[in-house]
């Protein structure tokens, strides 16, 4: 259990590369229902690369909920090739979310949120799928700044205060043909 900290629960800062964060409760206690033990953000990856948050093996996923800011924040141009998969980001069972949103990618590139195994009929995650629910603020996954080529796939994103995926942290981005746009993640449809 990692909670009740005035700053981040876990900080992976410049050159904190190739780490694995697995099997934790970040921002939640262990009783039932789990009481929130908020950190500022659950996990902050700041200009670090190739870290794995969760995974596809049983027990590898983290429960990341109850934090006042984002559950997971990936920030900086050096935040490259990090993977967030197999986690509960926001606790759907008791509807305990993270205050500002589930996941933020700001200026990072080539990060992966989710996995290949995807979602079963009925919305349940399989293996490397993230369940991203009940978060406040901008909602599920927020991509802002000069973030590029990030992949958001195979997640179950539901019941968040804002959009499921928000490119630009400015609300709805209309679909359009061609995708030659400029903006976070090239404003891909």
């Amino acid at each position: 259990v990692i909670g009740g900290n005035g700053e981040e629960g876990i900080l992976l800062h410049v050159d904190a590369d190739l780490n694995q964060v697995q099997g934790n409760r970040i921002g939640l206690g262990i009783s039932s229902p789990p009481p929130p033990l908020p950190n500022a953000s659950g996990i902050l990856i700041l200009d670090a690369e190739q870290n794995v948050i969760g995974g596809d093996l049983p027990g590898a996923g983290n429960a990341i909920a109850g934090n006042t800011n984002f559950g997971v924040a990936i920030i900086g141009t050096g935040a490259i090739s990090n993977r967030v998969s197999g986690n509960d980001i926001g606790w759907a069972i008791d509807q305990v979310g993270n205050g500002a949103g589930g996941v933020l990618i700001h200026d990072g590139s080539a990060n992966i949120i989710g996995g290949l195994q995807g979602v079963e009929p009925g919305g349940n995650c399989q293996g490397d799928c993230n369940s991203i629910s009940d978060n406040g603020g901008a909602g599920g996954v927020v991509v802002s700044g000069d973030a590029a080529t990030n992949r958001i796939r195979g997640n179950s994103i539901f019941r968040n205060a804002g959009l499921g995926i928000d490119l630009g942290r400015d609300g709805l981005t209309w679909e359009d043909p061609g995708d030659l746009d400029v903006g976070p993640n090239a404003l891909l449809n």
Side-chain angles (χ1 to χ4, degrees):
V1 174
I2 302 170
N5 298 293
E7 295 187 17
E8 289 68 40
I10 296 175
L11 171 63
L12 301 174
H13 196 255
V14 178
D15 296 326
D17 304 330
L18 301 168
N19 295 287
Q20 294 181 339
V21 178
Q22 298 178 322
N24 301 286
R25 283 184 178 246
I26 303 170
L28 288 174
I30 57 173
S31 62
S32 182
L37 297 173
N39 303 292
S41 284
I43 300 172
L44 172 58
I45 299 173
L46 184 59
D47 284 317
E49 59 184 80
Q50 299 181 50
N51 294 289
V52 176
I53 308 301
D56 58 358
L57 297 175
N62 300 285
I64 307 168
N67 300 290
T68 56
N69 203 349
F70 282 90
V72 178
I74 302 171
I75 298 175
T77 56
I80 301 168
S81 300
N82 296 288
R83 181 172 178 184
V84 179
S85 63
N87 302 288
D88 288 317
I89 303 173
W91 190 254
I93 296 167
D94 295 300
Q95 298 183 19
V96 177
N98 297 287
V103 178
L104 168 68
I105 303 172
H106 183 79
D107 293 336
S109 61
N111 297 287
I112 298 173
I113 309 301
L116 296 174
Q117 295 174 8
V119 183
E120 299 172 342
N124 295 320
C125 282
Q126 294 180 204
D128 57 359
C129 166
N130 292 304
S131 174
I132 305 173
S133 70
D134 299 292
N135 297 292
V141 180
V142 180
V143 184
S144 63
D146 291 326
T149 65
N150 295 287
R151 289 182 280 175
I152 304 165
R153 63 181 187 201
N155 297 289
S156 180
I157 303 174
F158 61 97
R159 212 173 42 225
N160 295 287
L163 296 173
I165 299 172
D166 188 344
L167 300 179
R169 206 171 185 179
D170 58 359
L172 187 62
T173 302
W174 291 100
E175 242 184 278
D176 61 349
D179 274 329
L180 298 175
D181 304 309
V182 175
N185 249 29
L187 302 181
L188 290 174
N189 294 336

